[in-house]
Structure formats: structure tokens, C-alpha cells
Amino acid sequence: MRHYAKVLAGCILVAGFGVLTTVAMAQADRWQALRDDPEIANGVLVAAIGRMIEDNCADIERRRAPARLAAIPLFNRAISLGYSRSEIAAYIDDDAEKERVRALARRWLEQRGASEAVPETICQVGRDEISAGSTIGRLLREG
């Protein structure tokens, strides 16, 4: 009987690990349609870059109204892909997804010669984007 209990415990442990692995993979895959959609992926990246610029530059801030207005089409696009409001909120709050997007934003800034180690380089990119009137620049202002 004791051997049977050990085998049963081992089976439960393996099954539990399998379920947890499946749940983790499902969580990661649950956002894939949002990641793959160019409109949403670009909008989320632009927002993350703007936030990184604002976080590193005391003289640059996000323009709240344009940033909120820019989010509306992204929200509507996610709805059209079949996501509910609560799923979209979960996506926005997902820590792993936030870090994934931050890494993309860091890479984008690094490609332009900016580094978090030297915040002024990030500020210069922000000023350049504002001057160029780019999508990122329109979400920011100096002041």
C-alpha cells in the first residue's frame, strides 16, 4: 500500500506540473493575436517609448489627451479581434507583457543611440521626435 501511495503522489505531482505548464503556455499564447496585430503592436510600442522618454526626462511629458485618444482605436481593434474589456484590462496589467514591450522600447531607443544609462540620450531622442512631429513626438511635449 505504501508503494501505491508513492506512485499515486508521483502521478499527481507530474499531472499538476503538466497542468501548470499548460496554463502558463495558455497565458502566454492568450495575447498572441494582440502581439501579431500591426496596429496594436505599434500603438503599444509607441506608448511604451513615450513613457520611457517621460520617465527619463524631467523636461518632457506625455500629452494626456492625445495619448488617451490614441488608445481608443487600439481598444476598439482589440474588441474586433474578440477580446473582452476585462481581457484587454488584463493585457494592459500583465507584468510579463509590460516587460516584453519595455524591452522592445529599449531596443528601439538603443537603435537611435539612446541608453537608460545616459538619460540625456533618451531626452535627445524625445526632442527629436517632438521636432519631427512623429507619432511619438505628437504624444509628448517639452515643458
Side-chain angles (χ1 to χ4, degrees):
M1 188 66 132
R2 189 173 182 157
H3 177 70
Y4 176 74
K6 286 182 181 180
V7 170
L8 182 61
C11 289
I12 291 171
L13 183 63
V14 169
F17 181 74
V19 167
L20 290 176
T21 303
T22 302
V23 168
M25 289 175 66
Q27 289 283 72
D29 291 343
R30 114 190 221 195
W31 310 130
Q32 198 59 49
L34 296 172
R35 289 184 201 122
D36 291 344
D37 185 84
E39 181 182 346
I40 292 174
N42 187 54
V44 169
L45 179 60
V46 164
I49 293 165
R51 165 102 7 126
M52 288 186 79
I53 291 170
E54 180 184 41
D55 289 348
N56 283 278
C57 307
D59 64 330
I60 297 177
E61 62 187 10
R62 279 179 297 143
R63 304 170 116 215
R64 304 285 186 234
R68 287 190 180 115
L69 288 174
I72 292 170
L74 302 179
F75 182 84
N76 290 337
R77 177 70 182 146
I79 293 283
S80 75
L81 292 173
Y83 288 90
S84 69
R85 291 176 187 269
S86 62
E87 287 172 318
I88 296 166
Y91 172 71
I92 292 167
D93 293 336
D94 188 282
D95 290 334
E97 194 62 20
K98 285 180 190 177
E99 188 49 45
R100 186 191 71 78
V101 175
R102 277 190 213 112
L104 294 172
R106 277 188 211 96
R107 193 171 315 129
W108 186 92
L109 287 163
E110 288 168 1
Q111 290 171 346
R112 283 146 187 82
S115 165
E116 288 180 289
V118 185
E120 179 51 37
T121 59
I122 293 177
C123 299
Q124 185 58 54
V125 169
R127 286 189 289 275
D128 293 346
E129 293 296 315
I130 292 168
S131 294
S134 71
T135 303
I136 294 166
R138 288 189 306 269
L139 297 178
L140 301 170
R141 69 171 165 231
E142 286 189 88

